[in-house]
Amino acid sequence: MSSLFDKTVDEKVQRAKLTVPRTSGRLVRIAGMTIEAVGVLAPVGATCQIEGAQVGENVEAEVVGFNNDILYLMPYGTTDGIAPGAKVTVLSRHGKGRIGEALLGRVIDGLGEPIDGLGPIDYTDTCSLDGFPVNPMERGPIEVPLDTGIKAINNCLTLGRGQRIGLIAGSGVGKSVLLGMLTRNTVADVVVIGLIGERGREVQEFVTKTLGRAGLRKSVVIAAPANESPVLRLKAAHLTHTIAEHFREQGANVLLLFDSLTRVAHAQREIGLAIGEPPTAKGYPPSVFGLLPKLIERAGVGRHGNGSVTAIYTILAENDDRSDPIVDIARASLDGQVMLSRALADSAHYPAIDLEGSISRVMSSILSPERIKLANKLRRLWTLYQQNADLIQVGAYEEGTNPDLDEAIRLRPEITDFLCQESEACVKEPESWKSLEKLLGSAEK
């Protein structure tokens, strides 16, 4: 049996069909963050304008779903000024992103509007926010090591140009500081930075302190803080990848820094639940688990090795839970992960990289056998000590029982010193390999 509300909506739908053109319609109701409109025909992803009660109070919204002739929209801003029966007009039927060389050195929002006070941007082209699809058989291989200037990554988790990797940790463990080190130290033609769903104060801090004037000149920053609408945060995520792909198509080696993938999942969760998607793992609807791999696959090496997007995503492990569903889906989709440890951070070991849970899946194909052997030995000694730390600290381990563990105990101070690094320091790859050879070479004598 249909409800009175269903009958009322059906009547409004029929009236809208008779009296309003399909390029415009009328607002039926607002339920939470969702706006329902009838009489207008538009696909998911289209941008619509909702007429305000007074001049200048128009609100832009995006189509996020539909049910028969009822469109579900979500506004980019607030719904203040919208009255019952407001006119809804289609502005654009497809999500578009504006691109161009003039983006370098600028800070923009999720709609591509500048927020740095430096005036308008001279865009040269527009393209779909779905980006530039690359046939997997046309992608070039990952074969060039990427120098990050961080010893623990260069020598134990070597990255390749065009790789996608995640920085996984709980809150307050040092993800943002490590991201800043990668921003300053990594060699790239263009740096594209997406600050999605984070605290608003961090945007200016990242631009002024972490990047600085020199770093900003070859960078594009896309910012959509936590107070923005979920559709705007999601749009900013797609725009970030679209801009990175644009520079890759020009043949540039792009470094994409994305903070954070978890906040994108939260934005999609807000949208999905608002339009009636069923919650699954930890309250996330199925659309979240379809979105993240699709977003990650947009990065990587370009057609036939022409240009690359090396992507580094931060992922929040809520309550330090490494089996969190977002951590799990990201780990399965990425080419490796850098796990950060709260225990190491609490002991002032920075960067707090936990070698036990970290891996680079392309390392074996871009390093020589000699360097792989050195890296594996360092990881083995570090892990062996970590696994027996309790026995060692209470004096329950007897020297001579395990020769490898004896070596790990003897070299522990030197290994810890090697893996630690000041946030302002940059150690280039050749120098760090020489230090590692010296450390482990002396251990073999």
Side-chain angles (χ1 to χ4, degrees):
M1 179 180 288
S2 60
S3 66
L4 179 62
F5 171 76
D6 292 333
K7 291 179 180 178
T8 304
V9 170
D10 288 341
E11 290 173 2
K12 290 181 178 179
V13 170
Q14 295 304 322
R15 286 201 303 271
K17 285 181 178 178
L18 294 173
T19 60
V20 184
R22 302 296 276 171
T23 55
S24 64
R26 296 289 173 183
L27 186 149
V28 176
R29 71 166 184 162
I30 298 177
M33 296 185 297
T34 310
I35 301 171
E36 297 181 8
V38 295
V40 58
L41 185 64
V44 173
T47 302
C48 296
Q49 180 177 273
I50 303 169
E51 190 179 70
Q54 298 182 16
V55 177
E57 288 187 345
N58 294 342
V59 173
E60 288 191 8
E62 184 172 309
V63 179
V64 294
F66 58 86
N67 183 5
N68 293 324
D69 282 353
I70 302 174
L71 283 187
Y72 300 135
L73 303 99
M74 198 165 282
Y76 293 141
T78 67
T79 54
D80 295 347
I82 297 178
K87 184 179 179 181
V88 180
T89 308
V90 178
L91 296 180
S92 170
R93 293 188 174 273
H94 304 283
K96 294 286 186 180
R98 292 175 290 175
I99 52 179
E101 300 297 319
L103 279 166
L104 291 174
R106 303 304 301 268
V107 183
I108 61 176
D109 63 13
L111 297 174
E113 298 296 334
I115 58 173
D116 52 10
L118 299 178
I121 298 174
D122 185 19
Y123 288 106
T124 56
D125 201 2
T126 60
C127 68
S128 169
L129 285 176
D130 290 332
F132 305 81
V134 179
N135 185 324
M137 296 302 295
E138 293 181 353
R139 281 191 186 271
I142 299 174
E143 52 189 7
V144 180
L146 184 72
D147 189 353
T148 64
I150 301 171
K151 293 180 289 182
I153 294 179
N154 277 350
N155 300 103
C156 302
L157 305 164
T158 310
L159 305 185
R161 187 178 291 165
Q163 186 174 354
R164 293 83 51 90
I165 197 154
L167 301 183
I168 303 174
S171 57
V173 182
K175 294 189 304 299
S176 298
V177 174
L178 183 54
L179 197 68
M181 293 174 71
L182 289 165
T183 304
R184 291 188 297 270
N185 299 343
T186 306
V187 178
D189 300 324
V190 176
V191 181
V192 179
I193 303 162
L195 302 175
I196 314 299
E198 298 299 319
R199 292 178 286 271
R201 69 167 180 80
E202 292 182 340
V203 176
Q204 185 178 22
E205 188 177 298
F206 194 93
V207 171
T208 56
K209 294 184 179 180
T210 302
L211 273 178
R213 290 185 179 180
L216 185 59
R217 277 197 292 268
K218 66 170 186 177
S219 303
V220 184
V221 180
I222 302 91
N227 62 312
E228 301 279 11
S229 161
V231 287
L232 199 54
R233 281 178 266 149
L234 206 54
K235 208 174 189 71
H238 287 292
L239 180 60
T240 300
H241 286 76
T242 299
I243 292 171
E245 289 172 307
H246 162 70
F247 285 106
R248 180 181 65 190
E249 292 295 307
Q250 310 303 312
N253 291 310
V254 181
L255 176 64
L256 170 62
L257 302 170
F258 196 90
D259 187 16
S260 74
L261 205 60
T262 306
R263 304 303 184 193
V264 172
H266 290 176
Q268 182 61 39
R269 178 170 61 183
E270 291 178 51
I271 295 170
L273 295 179
I275 62 175
E277 266 196 276
T280 54
K282 223 173 184 179
Y284 290 103
S287 59
V288 171
F289 303 104
L291 169 68
L292 298 186
K294 183 179 178 182
L295 207 59
I296 291 168
E297 278 300 315
R298 294 178 63 174
V301 182
R303 289 182 179 85
H304 310 296
N306 181 38
S308 66
V309 175
T310 304
I312 299 173
Y313 299 92
T314 65
I315 302 150
L316 178 65
E318 296 182 9
N319 299 318
D320 293 330
D321 181 10
R322 294 186 178 183
S323 62
D324 179 90
I326 301 305
V327 173
D328 210 35
I329 189 69
R331 198 161 39 197
S333 305
L334 292 165
D335 301 320
Q337 69 270 350
V338 177
M339 290 284 192
L340 302 185
S341 164
R342 188 172 299 278
L344 290 176
D346 289 344
S347 64
H349 179 115
Y350 292 107
I353 296 173
D354 181 5
L355 296 183
E356 288 185 83
S358 304
I359 189 173
S360 170
R361 294 194 174 100
V362 305
M363 184 173 175
S364 60
S365 62
I366 58 176
L367 288 183
S368 66
E370 293 77 16
R371 287 189 169 180
I372 292 173
K373 185 177 179 181
L374 275 175
N376 286 342
K377 181 170 183 179
L378 178 65
R379 288 174 64 97
R380 185 171 65 254
L381 293 176
W382 172 266
T383 302
L384 195 58
Y385 185 95
Q386 293 292 100
Q387 291 173 346
N388 294 275
D390 291 340
L391 291 175
I392 297 167
Q393 289 168 5
V394 299
Y397 173 74
E398 292 185 10
E399 187 177 354
T401 305
N402 185 332
D404 288 338
L405 184 53
D406 291 341
E407 185 179 20
I409 295 171
R410 181 168 55 85
L411 290 175
R412 178 67 176 184
E414 289 87 348
I415 292 175
T416 301
D417 184 62
F418 177 82
L419 294 175
C420 288
Q421 187 171 326
E422 295 292 332
S423 60
E424 300 300 323
C426 175
V427 182
K428 290 301 180 182
E429 190 180 32
E431 183 183 344
S432 64
W433 280 113
K434 285 180 182 177
S435 299
L436 183 59
E437 288 168 3
K438 182 179 179 181
L439 170 62
L440 298 184
S442 63
E444 293 174 356
K445 294 179 182 177

